[in-house]
Structure formats: C-alpha cells, structure tokens
Amino acid sequence: MTCPDPALPDPPSLTKGSGDPAKLRHVLEALASVDVTRLADVLDEPHAYADRDRWAELLTEEVVPRLPARLRTEARRRVDAALGLDDVPPSLVHGDLAAGNMHWSAGGELIGVLDWDLAQPFDPAIDAACLAWHGWDTLRQAVDAATYRRARVWAATFGIEQVAAALAAGEPPDVIERYVESATQWLEKKPSHSP
C-alpha cells in the first residue's frame, strides 16, 4: 500500500489527526456501495503495487531478509497477521486514501478523491487504515470494531510494503536500499500497531 507517505507534505486544508468520523464513515460506505463486478475490466488485483498474488512471498522472502536482523521477527509477525485475517466480501478499495489524495473544502466537505490507479476489489479495511491519518481514535468512531481491528493489522504492513513495491517495480539497488532504510526507521518508530 502506498499510504501514508511520510515524505509528502500535509495538504494546507487539513491538519494531521483531524477528521470527522461521520464524514470518513460516509466515504467508506460510498466505496462499499459500488458494485465491483461491474468494474472488473478496470480494477486491478489486490496488492497490484507489490506483484499481485506474489505479495506475501515478496514480503517474506525478499523484503524481510533485507531488514536489520533485530526487526525481521517483528516484520514477519506483521505479514503473518495480515495473512491470517479472515476473508471479507470484497468492496471497492481506493488503496491510497492518504491526505494528498482527498481534497476537502474549507467547510470540511469532501470535494474530490484523486489517484485511483490502485483501485481494487478487496478488504475495505485497507482504506480505513489509510484514513487513520485522521487519527486512530477518529477512525475507531468511523468504523465497526472488526473493520478497525483489520485496519490496524493492514496499517502495520504499510511501511514494509514500500520496499515490496520498489522491488516489484524493478527499482535499482540504491533506490531499494533507501526504501529499506525508510522501512527500518518506520518499524523503529512504530513498534506496535495493536488495537
């Protein structure tokens, strides 16, 4: 997943940690109401950014071994937790509902969502995890308990998935190393994503 990208500046109309739970719930409900079967020809597969159905293999066999030894067990635990999630009925997932892709009016109304290249039929908790940019307490008020728990699990993989995306894109070794360094810092700053 590509959200959130800590290198991007916050949009001027938002403050990190802010957000109206009712409006976030409305966004997720609107996505869930879309009939994904009618979009099969335009939606990509889950984890398209990280080699699609090789996502887990890529993370466990190529990303985790690149991390410092002290962080490998934790990174593997996070991937295993995501793999252990129960399947849920797929809904339309934007895949990158980071702050820069959601544009709000001065009055706090959502006026546009950009960057749909990661749209996929998958677990709506992915988008909920991206919306945690507004704060986990805010998200907890916006979604049901099961979605909140799954969002915490997915969010715990975001930082290491950046390395997987770089590998899948065929980035050169020096770029991949920068992503590994970033993932290392991210894991050290966010030691636990437990609900």
Side-chain angles (χ1 to χ4, degrees):
M1 220 39 51
T2 62
C3 56
D5 185 343
L8 294 176
D10 295 342
S13 62
L14 290 177
T15 302
K16 187 171 184 173
S18 66
D20 179 340
K23 291 178 181 176
L24 300 182
R25 183 181 318 109
H26 179 73
V27 169
L28 294 170
E29 289 172 349
L31 289 167
S33 73
V34 174
D35 180 0
V36 292
T37 61
R38 298 181 68 192
L39 298 174
D41 59 332
V42 296
L43 296 178
D44 211 330
E45 297 175 38
H47 308 296
Y49 57 90
D51 218 4
R52 294 170 176 80
D53 60 352
R54 281 198 62 241
W55 173 84
E57 179 184 340
L58 189 61
L59 284 171
T60 58
E61 295 180 15
E62 297 186 46
V63 174
V64 171
R66 293 172 191 269
L67 296 169
R70 69 185 184 281
L71 297 173
R72 290 178 191 155
T73 299
E74 174 62 13
R76 179 62 195 247
R77 183 196 65 77
R78 293 175 186 216
V79 174
D80 288 345
L83 291 171
L85 289 172
D86 292 334
D87 289 335
V88 295
S91 68
L92 178 60
V93 171
H94 177 276
D96 195 6
L97 286 181
N101 289 334
M102 298 184 73
H103 292 260
W104 303 84
S105 72
E109 298 302 317
L110 183 64
I111 56 175
V113 178
L114 306 176
D115 196 13
W116 288 87
D117 63 315
L118 297 178
Q120 58 194 278
F122 198 44
D123 184 349
I126 294 283
D127 282 341
C130 291
L131 290 175
W133 183 88
H134 295 275
W136 283 106
D137 289 338
T138 299
L139 183 66
R140 188 188 304 266
Q141 297 171 55
V143 298
D144 62 77
T147 301
Y148 180 82
R149 283 191 299 276
R150 289 195 327 274
R152 294 299 296 234
V153 171
W154 285 120
T157 67
F158 287 173
I160 55 178
E161 287 180 335
Q162 300 293 326
V163 181
L167 287 166
E171 295 288 355
D174 63 315
V175 172
I176 291 170
E177 184 55 35
R178 285 197 303 271
Y179 277 101
V180 169
E181 289 172 15
S182 178
T184 298
Q185 293 170 5
W186 180 81
L187 281 164
E188 290 173 336
K189 280 189 348 188
K190 299 185 183 285
S192 175
H193 280 276
S194 301

